[in-house]
Amino acid sequence: MSQESTPSGTPHPPAAHRRHTPDHIAEVLRQRVHSGELPRNSRLPTQRALVEEFGVNRTVIRQALAELERKGYLVSRGRGAPATVTAPALNDAPRPAGVEVADRIGLAFQAEHVSIDAFSLTTETLSSALAAPLIAIAAGELAPRSITVRVLLPSPDARLAFPRLLTDPDDPRPLARLKELTRTFSVSLRHQLLSLAERQLVPEVRVEIRAVAITPLQKLYVLNGTEVLTGYYRVVPRVVEYEQQQMEIFDVLGLSSKIFRSSSDKDSRDEQETAFVEESRLWFEALWSTIAQPVTLG
């Protein structure tokens, strides 16, 4: 059998020299996603083409594709249409939090048991990212058996480094505005999640919010214990409105901060990345179980 070439011209090994298991085929396709050979939003080859390439029957191909879909690499279009790649290549440039966090949380919700640990200035990005999977659950498109969300926020009464007025660091209004925003987003997030259990859409839902007396300089999300999303808060001057007055403050723009993704699952690039995920998880757990205090939202 002659070699087949990738779109970039790199020949694929002949099928005769491969192990013809669903796991191996899934791994080959996963590597093509990671390398960028199969970029996000591209169509996979047809099942018939994959049968010919790998020299296996259609059942084996379907099992491999089902594994990739379960892991969030593909989404099936049904009726025999080629699946679409949903995961980015590992060498993709980092994307804004408002985009990347939403995408990755959407994929995390395909798991049977969903867990999210979040550390941030407010819950604005997280609340926005949860919108799509919550709609999918209500529509019956997703059906997790449990959802556990733990959120760490700065203490509402702490004297934070930001936000603050450019001209008067002691003016209490920027922190008062932040406190109101944080409470609004947090109450909404908790209500949306707990309503899934109240409507009997998800059997078990747990939401807990705690606070620590520190200024977050970065945001961190640990998804299902195997993936970490992190990004830095960049302090910028900007004008905001509070109590019908405009204020020029030092603030951060969380939704536009670039997010870096690390995994300890099968798509981990090396041992260092796996270790980073574990250390991030332990860092969050240490704060959560020691100096963090429960927040009462009313």
Side-chain angles (χ1 to χ4, degrees), residues 159-172:
R159 182 178 173 81
L160 305 180
F162 55 76
R164 67 175 178 84
L165 281 186
L166 269 63
T167 56
D168 183 3
D170 296 322
D171 191 307

PDB file of all heavy atoms in Angstrom, residues 159-172:
ATOM      1  N   ARG A 159      -8.748  45.529  51.967  1.00  0.00           N
ATOM      2  CA  ARG A 159      -8.247  46.710  51.259  1.00  0.00           C
ATOM      3  C   ARG A 159      -7.386  46.213  50.094  1.00  0.00           C
ATOM      4  O   ARG A 159      -6.189  45.912  50.249  1.00  0.00           O
ATOM      5  CB  ARG A 159      -7.440  47.616  52.201  1.00  0.00           C
ATOM      6  CG  ARG A 159      -6.931  48.880  51.526  1.00  0.00           C
ATOM      7  CD  ARG A 159      -6.177  49.761  52.521  1.00  0.00           C
ATOM      8  NE  ARG A 159      -5.541  50.888  51.846  1.00  0.00           N
ATOM      9  CZ  ARG A 159      -6.160  52.005  51.498  1.00  0.00           C
ATOM     10  NH1 ARG A 159      -7.450  52.147  51.755  1.00  0.00           N
ATOM     11  NH2 ARG A 159      -5.500  52.982  50.911  1.00  0.00           N
ATOM     12  N   LEU A 160      -7.975  46.128  48.926  1.00  0.00           N
ATOM     13  CA  LEU A 160      -7.300  45.573  47.766  1.00  0.00           C
ATOM     14  C   LEU A 160      -6.437  46.617  47.071  1.00  0.00           C
ATOM     15  O   LEU A 160      -6.672  47.823  47.199  1.00  0.00           O
ATOM     16  CB  LEU A 160      -8.338  45.021  46.777  1.00  0.00           C
ATOM     17  CG  LEU A 160      -9.342  43.999  47.331  1.00  0.00           C
ATOM     18  CD1 LEU A 160     -10.296  43.560  46.224  1.00  0.00           C
ATOM     19  CD2 LEU A 160      -8.619  42.806  47.937  1.00  0.00           C
ATOM     20  N   ALA A 161      -5.443  46.130  46.318  1.00  0.00           N
ATOM     21  CA  ALA A 161      -4.557  47.042  45.585  1.00  0.00           C
ATOM     22  C   ALA A 161      -5.283  47.734  44.441  1.00  0.00           C
ATOM     23  O   ALA A 161      -4.916  48.825  44.025  1.00  0.00           O
ATOM     24  CB  ALA A 161      -3.346  46.276  45.064  1.00  0.00           C
ATOM     25  N   PHE A 162      -6.303  47.080  43.911  1.00  0.00           N
ATOM     26  CA  PHE A 162      -7.146  47.647  42.852  1.00  0.00           C
ATOM     27  C   PHE A 162      -8.518  47.019  42.973  1.00  0.00           C
ATOM     28  O   PHE A 162      -8.671  45.946  43.579  1.00  0.00           O
ATOM     29  CB  PHE A 162      -6.531  47.406  41.456  1.00  0.00           C
ATOM     30  CG  PHE A 162      -6.235  45.956  41.146  1.00  0.00           C
ATOM     31  CD1 PHE A 162      -7.236  45.051  40.799  1.00  0.00           C
ATOM     32  CD2 PHE A 162      -4.932  45.491  41.212  1.00  0.00           C
ATOM     33  CE1 PHE A 162      -6.962  43.731  40.531  1.00  0.00           C
ATOM     34  CE2 PHE A 162      -4.641  44.161  40.933  1.00  0.00           C
ATOM     35  CZ  PHE A 162      -5.658  43.283  40.597  1.00  0.00           C
ATOM     36  N   PRO A 163      -9.525  47.732  42.470  1.00  0.00           N
ATOM     37  CA  PRO A 163      -9.509  49.018  41.770  1.00  0.00           C
ATOM     38  C   PRO A 163      -9.350  50.184  42.747  1.00  0.00           C
ATOM     39  O   PRO A 163      -9.740  50.081  43.902  1.00  0.00           O
ATOM     40  CB  PRO A 163     -10.884  49.051  41.091  1.00  0.00           C
ATOM     41  CG  PRO A 163     -11.759  48.251  42.009  1.00  0.00           C
ATOM     42  CD  PRO A 163     -10.893  47.155  42.546  1.00  0.00           C
ATOM     43  N   ARG A 164      -8.808  51.285  42.248  1.00  0.00           N
ATOM     44  CA  ARG A 164      -8.684  52.506  43.058  1.00  0.00           C
ATOM     45  C   ARG A 164      -8.605  53.705  42.143  1.00  0.00           C
ATOM     46  O   ARG A 164      -8.222  53.599  40.977  1.00  0.00           O
ATOM     47  CB  ARG A 164      -7.455  52.445  43.968  1.00  0.00           C
ATOM     48  CG  ARG A 164      -6.122  52.478  43.251  1.00  0.00           C
ATOM     49  CD  ARG A 164      -4.998  52.537  44.276  1.00  0.00           C
ATOM     50  NE  ARG A 164      -3.663  52.534  43.684  1.00  0.00           N
ATOM     51  CZ  ARG A 164      -3.031  53.604  43.225  1.00  0.00           C
ATOM     52  NH1 ARG A 164      -3.637  54.797  43.253  1.00  0.00           N
ATOM     53  NH2 ARG A 164      -1.814  53.526  42.729  1.00  0.00           N
ATOM     54  N   LEU A 165      -8.952  54.859  42.686  1.00  0.00           N
ATOM     55  CA  LEU A 165      -8.879  56.101  41.914  1.00  0.00           C
ATOM     56  C   LEU A 165      -7.434  56.429  41.554  1.00  0.00           C
ATOM     57  O   LEU A 165      -6.520  56.189  42.348  1.00  0.00           O
ATOM     58  CB  LEU A 165      -9.460  57.266  42.713  1.00  0.00           C
ATOM     59  CG  LEU A 165     -10.987  57.430  42.795  1.00  0.00           C
ATOM     60  CD1 LEU A 165     -11.321  58.721  43.511  1.00  0.00           C
ATOM     61  CD2 LEU A 165     -11.613  57.412  41.414  1.00  0.00           C
ATOM     62  N   LEU A 166      -7.247  56.982  40.376  1.00  0.00           N
ATOM     63  CA  LEU A 166      -5.908  57.419  39.991  1.00  0.00           C
ATOM     64  C   LEU A 166      -5.406  58.527  40.915  1.00  0.00           C
ATOM     65  O   LEU A 166      -4.221  58.575  41.262  1.00  0.00           O
ATOM     66  CB  LEU A 166      -5.910  57.943  38.546  1.00  0.00           C
ATOM     67  CG  LEU A 166      -5.614  56.924  37.427  1.00  0.00           C
ATOM     68  CD1 LEU A 166      -6.682  55.845  37.370  1.00  0.00           C
ATOM     69  CD2 LEU A 166      -5.486  57.640  36.080  1.00  0.00           C
ATOM     70  N   THR A 167      -6.312  59.400  41.327  1.00  0.00           N
ATOM     71  CA  THR A 167      -5.901  60.596  42.072  1.00  0.00           C
ATOM     72  C   THR A 167      -6.000  60.452  43.584  1.00  0.00           C
ATOM     73  O   THR A 167      -5.404  61.243  44.309  1.00  0.00           O
ATOM     74  CB  THR A 167      -6.773  61.794  41.650  1.00  0.00           C
ATOM     75  OG1 THR A 167      -8.158  61.458  41.850  1.00  0.00           O
ATOM     76  CG2 THR A 167      -6.537  62.123  40.183  1.00  0.00           C
ATOM     77  N   ASP A 168      -6.750  59.436  44.061  1.00  0.00           N
ATOM     78  CA  ASP A 168      -6.943  59.295  45.508  1.00  0.00           C
ATOM     79  C   ASP A 168      -7.092  57.814  45.869  1.00  0.00           C
ATOM     80  O   ASP A 168      -8.195  57.272  45.848  1.00  0.00           O
ATOM     81  CB  ASP A 168      -8.177  60.080  45.957  1.00  0.00           C
ATOM     82  CG  ASP A 168      -8.364  60.025  47.466  1.00  0.00           C
ATOM     83  OD1 ASP A 168      -7.517  59.445  48.163  1.00  0.00           O
ATOM     84  OD2 ASP A 168      -9.388  60.561  47.946  1.00  0.00           O
ATOM     85  N   PRO A 169      -5.994  57.155  46.227  1.00  0.00           N
ATOM     86  CA  PRO A 169      -6.061  55.729  46.551  1.00  0.00           C
ATOM     87  C   PRO A 169      -6.962  55.402  47.732  1.00  0.00           C
ATOM     88  O   PRO A 169      -7.388  54.250  47.885  1.00  0.00           O
ATOM     89  CB  PRO A 169      -4.598  55.387  46.877  1.00  0.00           C
ATOM     90  CG  PRO A 169      -3.787  56.457  46.244  1.00  0.00           C
ATOM     91  CD  PRO A 169      -4.631  57.692  46.287  1.00  0.00           C
ATOM     92  N   ASP A 170      -7.279  56.377  48.562  1.00  0.00           N
ATOM     93  CA  ASP A 170      -8.092  56.133  49.752  1.00  0.00           C
ATOM     94  C   ASP A 170      -9.593  56.303  49.512  1.00  0.00           C
ATOM     95  O   ASP A 170     -10.394  56.047  50.406  1.00  0.00           O
ATOM     96  CB  ASP A 170      -7.649  57.061  50.892  1.00  0.00           C
ATOM     97  CG  ASP A 170      -6.229  56.785  51.343  1.00  0.00           C
ATOM     98  OD1 ASP A 170      -5.857  55.594  51.383  1.00  0.00           O
ATOM     99  OD2 ASP A 170      -5.492  57.749  51.647  1.00  0.00           O
ATOM    100  N   ASP A 171      -9.980  56.758  48.346  1.00  0.00           N
ATOM    101  CA  ASP A 171     -11.405  56.920  48.046  1.00  0.00           C
ATOM    102  C   ASP A 171     -12.076  55.539  48.062  1.00  0.00           C
ATOM    103  O   ASP A 171     -11.652  54.626  47.344  1.00  0.00           O
ATOM    104  CB  ASP A 171     -11.580  57.565  46.681  1.00  0.00           C
ATOM    105  CG  ASP A 171     -13.017  58.007  46.423  1.00  0.00           C
ATOM    106  OD1 ASP A 171     -13.930  57.170  46.581  1.00  0.00           O
ATOM    107  OD2 ASP A 171     -13.218  59.178  46.065  1.00  0.00           O
ATOM    108  N   PRO A 172     -13.121  55.321  48.865  1.00  0.00           N
ATOM    109  CA  PRO A 172     -13.729  53.988  49.016  1.00  0.00           C
ATOM    110  C   PRO A 172     -14.640  53.582  47.864  1.00  0.00           C
ATOM    111  O   PRO A 172     -15.064  52.417  47.783  1.00  0.00           O
ATOM    112  CB  PRO A 172     -14.531  54.130  50.311  1.00  0.00           C
ATOM    113  CG  PRO A 172     -14.920  55.579  50.359  1.00  0.00           C
ATOM    114  CD  PRO A 172     -13.752  56.324  49.754  1.00  0.00           C
TER     115      PRO A 172
END
